[in-house]
Amino acid sequence: MVSFIALFLAMGTTQISVFAAVPSPVVDQQTRTVKGTVKDKTGEPVMGATVLVKGTTNGTTTDLDGNYTLSGVRDGQILSYSFIGMKTKEVQVSSSTIDVVLEEDAIGLEEVVAIGYGYVKKKDLTGAVSTVSAKDMTLGGTVSNAALALQGKSAGVQVSQSSKAPGGTISVRVRGSNSISSSNEPLYVVDGFPTTQGLNINPNDIESMEILKDASATAIYGARGANGVVLITTKRGKAGENRISYNGYLGVQKIQNPFDFISAKEYMNLKNALYQEIDGQEGNPNGVYTPSQLQSNVDTDWLDVCTRLGIVQDDNVQFVGGSDKTKVMTSLGYYGQQGVLKNTDFKRYSGRVNVDQTINDYIKAGATVYAHREDSKYQQYSGNIVNSNVLLSVLQYDPTVKPYNEDGSYGRVPGGRGDNPLANLLERNNKSQSDKFNGTAFLEIHPFQDLTLKATGGAEILHNFQGTYLPSSTTYQGSIDNGIATTYDYSSTNLLFEGIANYMHTFNKVHDFNAMLGYTYEKYTSEYRSMTAKNFSTDVFTWNNIGAASEKTSIGSNKTENILISFLGRLNYSYNGKYLATFTIRRDGSSRFGKNEHWGTFPSGSLAWRAGEENFIKNLGIFSNLKVRAGFGVTGNERIGDYASYALMSTTHLTFDGSSNVTGTHLRQSSAENPDLKWETTTQYNVGLDMGFFNDRLAVTIDAYYKKTNDLLLNVSLPLYSGYISGQQNVGSISNKGIELDITSHNLTGPLVWDTKFNIGFNKNEVLNLGSQGDIYITSSKPMGTVSEEHYAVVREGEALGSLFGYKYLGVLQQGETYAPQPNAKQGDPKFADVNGDGQITSADRTIIGHASPDFIFGLTNTFSYKNFDLNIFFQGSVGNDLLNMTRMNLEWDRTTDALKRWTSSNMNTDIPRNGFYYSKYGGYINDHFIEDASFVRLKNITLGYTIPFKKVISSCRVYIAAENLLTLTGYSGWDPEVDTKAYEYSGSNSKQTANAGAGLDFNSYPAMRTYTVGMNITF
């Protein structure tokens, strides 16, 4: 970063020509030398403008005073004058002196950005808003949805692909986490439609994405704006521009294996040694494997057996065009990913039609229709040890077992329970199908000048089906229960109506007003049905004929709905284009909250001063743009379950004989009513500085913010006399504060173009208050069946969310050593710190041993182009975050070479205990021995493209090759430093609490991979 800033400083004092190394064409006697000056419309010289003889490489750049000299120019040739943020101007040569004036283009400061229910010029923004356009997106490889296009592109926006599985989970955090029990994901608004499915649209349909980060920008979305808002604008038709384009790529994905497994013979000897040591009888001849078994030559690499070369494919066809009256955009897309883990894949088929119709000078109308179908074969990859978690067995299964027996059946440990990893993968039939339809239509009326009335109606319909089947013929559990089938059927409908009135007027040429008033109504309905059955006479039906089962083990169904009604308004004011103000207010009424708190008011205000327009700033000769911003606002988070404030009823079974005989099913009240339950409220302050240097060839944006969330929605313990164990209440507060920096640098212009974009965001999260709740503990899944679950994370006042919690590990108890807090420990046992100093190791000695949240995140993109070649290099990084590597915990026990480094009487110089941590009488397996620094710097994407110069039927054709995740610099020893298996398990009443507070766990995550693609963008 320092290098390209230094380059600009040099450009401020001397003329730089990027054409010096390019040979000029041979000229004849009719050439001349052309001189002149390039200025902007205010008369200021434009330094660094490109002057180029069109169709050649003969060119130069202007100096500090906007002057240029160009030799070897023939009469009649065209000179092209260009500069970033200005319209290109072409002049035919007829004299030796040519002076030109360049005008601002409709980009840069004049660029129009979405701000929610409207648009504003970028120069008039008063809030913190980041824009990612289609050309900025790194689309290719594993980009299956829109969120990955944001990764590393905006300061303060953390995008993590927590699971690398096909169609895997994506998490987005804007300026940290605000909530413990509610969602921390931003609100997505696609073409004006608020949706929970905004991530899942076809990324190729997107024109731009705006991330509203501070409350002055997000308060217009009221009770849903606390986590930030991502506005997605899709491509629309354009008058007079009829084109068909194809974008596609095909790639391969190769697994990155960080593990060093031991051989089968080493495994057997190790198991025998561990058996003897655990039994407490060194030299005991009994073991797991007999002498004859030790002679076996079978050595199965289960990771190799269960993985493959993955395939990723993306194909999109678009038509964009129209006339002055009718504009149309249509697209068809296919995305497919065959996972590196066998029998895992993801496919999406999508289609979109956007139509805009001008009926007359006063009325416009339009419609947007989008639909997709997603099909996937999936497995469980989350942090648990159930048989269905395929990664557990892939990494840990006995290497002395063959994948297949001689008779074709699957190999299995003699007398063992469960299936081998390949059977788990291939024979478990898990399929998911998800359908989405979103349709909106609008009518826009201009009854008189400056006033626009717009009515929008829309609906979004979702349907998801999941079916699983364990065959009796090929799976262990299925053979016990004669086949097990499960179905889950979910559907939802979201209805939207909006009425917006917008008035814009300029008074006395200096007072610009833009007033907006609106009303919105949304109704969301969802329902599901689920069933599990077993004992089938045949495996033919799988889950498609539940009635064929003789035993139904569970049946469930549910239906909920909620309504949100809102009134909103915004006033934008500008005086003389220098002094800007924005005020918004929204009043939301939500059925999700208590009868005393249905309505909430969310105001915001922001001011900005375009100081760069002041003469005394211009006279400094330093800034080409300077704007100071300050804002304040209040937003909410209402994303909790429906009916949480009501006294809910549930069914219970009663018996009067003390046995399992059920006498009947009865209703009982299962939760207490809370009429005062309301949304979490986030108050945010933001100050910002937008600066431009060297005619905006260097643009810098700095923001500092502080936000505090009050009235946290927590499931707190209730006194026993209430008759309830717990209930939801508004308790506690959390803060986030940070600094963000965005730098855009146009380093070189001309035949060789070099642009750099760099962003970095620092955020500090702190739990301020939990009321009387006290610490909230998050429990890990147990790493093996013979031990109990342990707490691995804690929510604690004064600490950040994602605080990892456990024992401090001091090493191994050496021969002849005694340790008072562990009086009965043996040599080679793990030794833990007596944190509270009471002379003994108990659960009270657990403490904070790591933090899942990074200190800062960053992204760096360098883009080069020369003639028809282009090169894009994108780095991203995260620094200061930790992971609890429970995968390593199990592998260190008996599968990787670390297991051979354990403490023995002949190997005492080690920090790996003799029997792992599972059988110790003191401490626990959650300790900082397995806490690893997960900081990383990653070469996320490198793309090299070439545009083939066609002149007739094909207007443009670009081919490219790309590599993703080519290089990752990290000290983390697991699959990937970005994974997080516990944080995104959504099941159970406290799922979101676990998701937000329980980040930082890596246990049986999906393998990471590198991706290599070839692609084409062609336009007719």
Side-chain angles (χ1 to χ4, degrees):
M1 183 178 71
V2 174
S3 62
F4 67 77
I5 294 177
L7 173 64
F8 275 108
L9 295 178
M11 293 176 68
T13 57
T14 183
Q15 178 180 356
I16 293 180
S17 175
V18 298
F19 306 94
V22 181
S24 299
V26 177
V27 296
D28 56 29
Q29 296 179 350
Q30 296 179 331
T31 63
R32 67 167 80 222
T33 297
V34 178
K35 300 181 179 180
T37 303
V38 179
K39 297 181 179 181
D40 62 22
K41 62 181 181 181
T42 67
E44 293 294 320
V46 179
M47 185 274 290
T50 299
V51 184
L52 182 67
V53 179
K54 190 173 182 180
T56 75
T57 59
N58 184 21
T60 186
T61 57
T62 58
D63 63 15
L64 185 64
D65 298 318
N67 298 320
Y68 71 94
T69 300
L70 184 62
S71 60
V73 184
R74 296 192 299 271
D75 284 351
Q77 287 187 308
I78 303 296
L79 291 185
S80 174
Y81 299 82
S82 61
F83 186 73
I84 300 296
M86 293 185 171
K87 295 180 180 178
T88 298
K89 190 168 187 177
E90 295 182 348
V91 179
Q92 188 172 24
V93 177
S94 60
S95 66
S96 297
T97 301
I98 302 177
D99 298 326
V100 299
V101 175
L102 297 182
E103 299 179 353
E104 286 185 346
D105 199 354
I107 60 174
L109 295 180
E110 295 297 313
E111 179 183 358
V112 175
V113 298
I115 57 172
Y117 305 99
Y119 296 86
V120 68
K121 290 182 179 179
K122 188 174 182 179
K123 67 179 181 180
D124 294 332
L125 274 175
T126 60
V129 179
S130 294
T131 299
V132 178
S133 64
K135 65 181 180 181
D136 295 325
M137 298 179 189
T138 304
L139 299 179
T142 58
V143 179
S144 58
N145 64 39
L148 285 179
L150 296 174
Q151 195 168 42
K153 302 299 184 182
S154 177
V157 180
Q158 182 180 11
V159 180
S160 301
Q161 187 174 8
S162 54
S163 172
K164 305 299 181 184
T169 305
I170 308 294
S171 169
V172 179
R173 295 289 183 269
V174 179
R175 294 184 168 182
S177 298
N178 306 309
S179 179
I180 296 174
S181 296
S182 189
S183 173
N184 276 307
E185 297 294 320
L187 173 68
Y188 294 91
V189 182
V190 182
D191 290 332
F193 196 105
T195 173
T196 59
Q197 300 292 309
L199 290 178
N200 299 326
I201 69 171
N202 183 350
N204 292 275
D205 291 346
I206 297 174
E207 181 70 25
S208 69
M209 290 189 283
E210 275 78 30
I211 305 102
L212 312 184
K213 297 192 288 189
D214 72 332
S216 68
T218 62
I220 197 66
Y221 288 98
R224 295 176 294 178
N227 299 326
V229 180
V230 178
L231 304 179
I232 299 176
T233 303
T234 62
K235 297 173 183 177
R236 316 291 296 187
K238 297 180 180 179
E241 182 180 329
N242 295 301
R243 68 175 190 269
I244 297 176
S245 61
Y246 165 81
N247 298 319
Y249 56 79
L250 179 66
V252 295
Q253 296 181 316
K254 182 176 176 58
I255 191 173
Q256 296 174 254
N257 177 19
F259 306 115
D260 188 8
F261 292 103
I262 59 178
S263 68
K265 288 190 181 299
E266 289 173 322
Y267 177 82
M268 289 187 286
N269 288 325
L270 174 65
K271 281 294 189 181
N272 281 350
L274 288 173
Y275 175 83
Q276 294 165 1
E277 293 169 17
I278 294 171
D279 193 47
Q281 303 177 41
E282 296 284 355
N284 187 334
N286 296 321
V288 178
Y289 294 94
T290 64
S292 61
Q293 289 175 317
L294 290 174
Q295 303 306 311
S296 171
N297 292 320
V298 176
D299 192 354
T300 303
D301 183 343
W302 288 108
L303 188 59
D304 180 66
V305 168
C306 295
T307 58
R308 60 189 175 185
L309 198 66
I311 304 294
V312 61
Q313 180 180 351
D314 191 55
D315 298 287
N316 288 271
V317 178
Q318 289 185 354
F319 169 77
V320 176
S323 62
D324 291 337
K325 293 287 187 179
T326 305
K327 303 176 184 65
V328 178
M329 178 271 187
T330 62
S331 74
L332 290 174
Y334 167 80
Y335 176 88
Q337 185 179 359
Q338 184 183 84
V340 294
L341 201 61
K342 290 180 179 178
N343 203 30
T344 62
D345 62 35
F346 174 83
K347 298 181 179 69
R348 181 182 60 229
Y349 312 87
S350 64
R352 176 179 295 275
V353 178
N354 292 347
V355 179
D356 298 283
Q357 178 70 44
T358 299
I359 299 173
N360 54 43
D361 292 341
Y362 306 100
I363 302 176
K364 296 179 181 179
T368 295
V369 176
Y370 174 79
H372 75 219
R373 164 163 286 187
E374 296 176 344
D375 290 318
S376 67
K377 294 180 181 178
Y378 67 95
Q379 303 288 344
Q380 276 199 35
Y381 322 109
S382 55
N384 56 51
I385 60 170
V386 297
N387 290 331
S388 58
N389 193 333
V390 295
L391 261 303
L392 181 73
S393 58
V394 168
L395 294 178
Q396 293 185 244
Y397 203 75
D398 191 330
T400 67
V401 176
K402 296 179 180 180
Y404 295 99
N405 297 317
E406 285 71 14
D407 62 0
S409 62
Y410 289 102
R412 186 178 295 166
V413 175
R417 299 167 58 86
D419 295 304
N420 79 40
L422 193 62
N424 258 337
L425 274 172
L426 300 183
E427 300 303 330
R428 289 178 178 270
N429 195 350
N430 300 334
K431 291 187 179 180
S432 173
Q433 186 176 89
S434 178
D435 295 320
K436 172 182 176 179
F437 170 85
N438 182 286
T440 60
F442 73 87
L443 180 66
E444 187 175 287
I445 302 175
H446 302 270
F448 53 84
Q449 189 176 2
D450 300 333
L451 178 64
T452 302
L453 304 177
K454 184 176 182 180
T456 302
E460 183 173 82
I461 301 172
L462 305 176
H463 177 252
N464 177 259
F465 173 81
Q466 293 179 1
T468 67
Y469 186 74
L470 296 178
S472 61
S473 57
T474 54
T475 64
Y476 176 78
Q477 190 62 44
S479 65
I480 294 175
D481 292 320
N482 293 321
I484 306 171
T486 300
T487 62
Y488 177 84
D489 203 301
Y490 171 88
S491 61
S492 68
T493 302
N494 190 10
L495 303 177
L496 169 72
F497 171 78
E498 290 179 353
I500 304 294
N502 205 314
Y503 178 77
M504 300 176 61
H505 190 74
T506 301
F507 297 91
N508 298 328
K509 298 182 180 180
V510 294
H511 301 283
D512 289 325
F513 282 91
N514 182 351
M516 182 271 291
L517 292 174
Y519 166 82
T520 72
Y521 172 91
E522 291 181 61
K523 182 177 181 180
Y524 182 84
T525 304
S526 67
E527 58 183 301
Y528 80 85
R529 291 168 293 277
S530 64
M531 181 179 294
T532 300
K534 61 183 182 179
N535 284 325
F536 290 83
S537 59
T538 175
D539 290 330
V540 172
F541 300 123
T542 66
W543 58 77
N544 294 304
N545 188 356
I546 293 288
S550 61
E551 184 178 352
K552 279 69 174 179
T553 56
S554 69
I555 298 175
S557 63
N558 179 272
K559 182 175 182 179
T560 67
E561 68 178 24
N562 66 75
I563 294 174
L564 181 70
I565 298 175
S566 308
F567 301 90
L568 54 138
R570 178 173 55 222
L571 176 64
N572 290 336
Y573 170 73
S574 170
Y575 175 72
N576 206 25
K578 299 180 182 178
Y579 312 105
L580 313 171
T582 301
F583 302 98
T584 70
I585 190 168
R586 178 162 179 148
R587 185 157 173 81
D588 281 330
S590 173
S591 64
R592 284 181 164 174
F593 292 94
K595 62 183 179 182
N596 298 335
E597 297 289 348
H598 279 320
W599 290 92
T601 303
F602 304 92
S604 78
S606 56
L607 303 173
W609 173 35
R610 295 189 65 205
E613 297 299 307
E614 304 287 358
N615 289 331
F616 72 90
I617 296 294
K618 292 180 179 179
N619 293 337
L620 295 176
I622 299 175
F623 301 98
S624 52
N625 173 48
L626 178 62
K627 181 167 65 175
V628 182
R629 296 175 282 106
F632 161 84
V634 180
T635 51
N637 187 348
E638 51 85 59
R639 281 179 275 182
I640 62 170
D642 297 325
Y643 317 123
S645 66
Y646 294 92
L648 300 180
M649 307 296 290
S650 65
T651 59
T652 185
H653 299 287
L654 300 178
T655 180
F656 297 104
D657 59 5
S659 70
S660 60
N661 297 323
V662 176
T663 62
T665 300
H666 303 270
L667 286 176
R668 66 178 181 90
Q669 186 174 333
S670 58
S671 65
E673 181 182 13
N674 185 357
D676 298 316
L677 190 69
K678 60 182 180 181
W679 31 67
E680 299 174 344
T681 302
T682 298
T683 302
Q684 185 173 178
Y685 303 85
N686 189 93
V687 292
L689 192 63
D690 303 324
M691 297 175 287
F693 304 91
F694 314 111
N695 288 317
D696 287 337
R697 289 186 68 172
L698 176 64
V700 180
T701 296
I702 302 174
D703 279 277
Y705 61 87
Y706 173 80
K707 58 179 181 177
K708 180 180 179 182
T709 302
N710 292 307
D711 300 322
L712 296 178
L713 292 161
L714 293 179
N715 196 34
V716 302
S717 299
L718 298 177
L720 294 178
Y721 61 75
S722 69
Y724 308 101
I725 298 175
S726 62
Q728 281 219 320
Q729 295 183 5
N730 292 104
V731 177
S733 58
I734 288 178
S735 71
N736 286 274
K737 53 187 175 183
I739 297 175
E740 299 168 350
L741 173 66
D742 274 288
I743 298 176
T744 299
S745 166
H746 304 291
N747 304 324
L748 297 175
T749 61
L752 175 62
V753 177
W754 174 25
D755 291 341
T756 299
K757 292 186 178 182
F758 174 77
N759 68 78
I760 187 169
F762 300 82
N763 184 76
K764 179 176 175 56
N765 175 274
E766 183 179 356
V767 178
L768 301 177
N769 182 12
L770 291 173
S772 60
Q773 173 71 14
D775 290 352
I776 300 173
Y777 297 101
I778 310 299
T779 302
S780 73
S781 298
K782 54 186 180 180
M784 60 191 307
T786 56
V787 298
S788 302
E789 296 176 339
E790 291 186 6
H791 298 142
Y792 81 97
V794 65
V795 182
R796 175 175 290 175
E797 291 182 5
E799 299 289 344
L801 286 178
S803 292
L804 302 174
F805 179 73
Y807 296 93
K808 294 187 72 67
Y809 180 54
L810 300 181
V812 176
L813 195 67
Q814 294 296 337
Q815 195 169 25
E817 179 184 3
T818 59
Y819 183 49
Q822 300 177 198
N824 297 317
K826 298 179 180 180
Q827 58 187 19
D829 281 355
K831 185 168 61 174
F832 300 98
D834 181 14
V835 173
N836 66 356
D838 65 356
Q840 55 183 335
I841 301 300
T842 66
S843 61
D845 290 308
R846 294 175 300 173
T847 187
I848 305 297
I849 55 176
H851 292 91
S853 299
D855 296 328
F856 62 89
I857 55 176
F858 65 89
L860 174 65
T861 303
N862 279 286
T863 303
F864 304 87
S865 63
Y866 178 73
K867 294 185 178 179
N868 292 340
F869 289 94
D870 62 86
L871 175 67
N872 181 278
I873 304 174
F874 170 42
F875 287 90
Q876 65 158 140
S878 174
V879 176
N881 50 301
D882 300 311
L883 272 176
L884 172 61
N885 193 343
M886 283 185 66
T887 298
R888 186 186 119 208
M889 180 188 305
N890 274 1
L891 297 183
E892 181 183 279
W893 167 246
D894 60 7
R895 286 300 285 119
T896 60
T897 53
D898 285 340
L900 303 179
K901 302 173 185 177
R902 76 192 192 288
W903 189 96
T904 64
S905 59
S906 60
N907 181 40
M908 294 185 289
N909 187 22
T910 180
D911 67 342
I912 299 177
R914 63 185 182 96
N915 290 321
F917 295 86
Y918 305 127
Y919 298 100
S920 173
K921 298 177 182 179
Y922 305 98
Y925 56 82
I926 305 297
N927 61 72
D928 61 359
H929 178 67
F930 301 108
I931 298 293
E932 297 186 35
D933 183 357
S935 303
F936 69 90
V937 178
R938 169 171 288 157
L939 177 53
K940 182 66 176 180
N941 182 280
I942 180 168
T943 302
L944 176 64
Y946 178 75
T947 300
I948 303 172
F950 289 103
K951 294 183 178 179
K952 293 186 178 180
V953 178
I954 300 175
S955 60
S956 69
C957 179
R958 174 178 174 266
V959 293
Y960 63 89
I961 57 175
E964 293 188 23
N965 301 328
L966 193 61
L967 174 67
T968 301
L969 302 177
T970 182
Y972 187 67
S973 65
W975 287 118
D976 188 277
E978 275 192 291
V979 302
D980 213 334
T981 51
K982 191 73 172 181
Y984 305 101
E985 291 179 15
Y986 286 92
S987 61
S989 60
N990 291 325
S991 59
K992 291 187 175 67
Q993 183 166 296
T994 300
N996 299 333
L1001 177 65
D1002 179 6
F1003 190 27
N1004 304 324
S1005 57
Y1006 195 90
M1009 74 286 288
R1010 289 192 179 98
T1011 304
Y1012 305 91
T1013 58
V1014 293
M1016 174 183 290
N1017 313 122
I1018 186 168
T1019 302
F1020 301 90

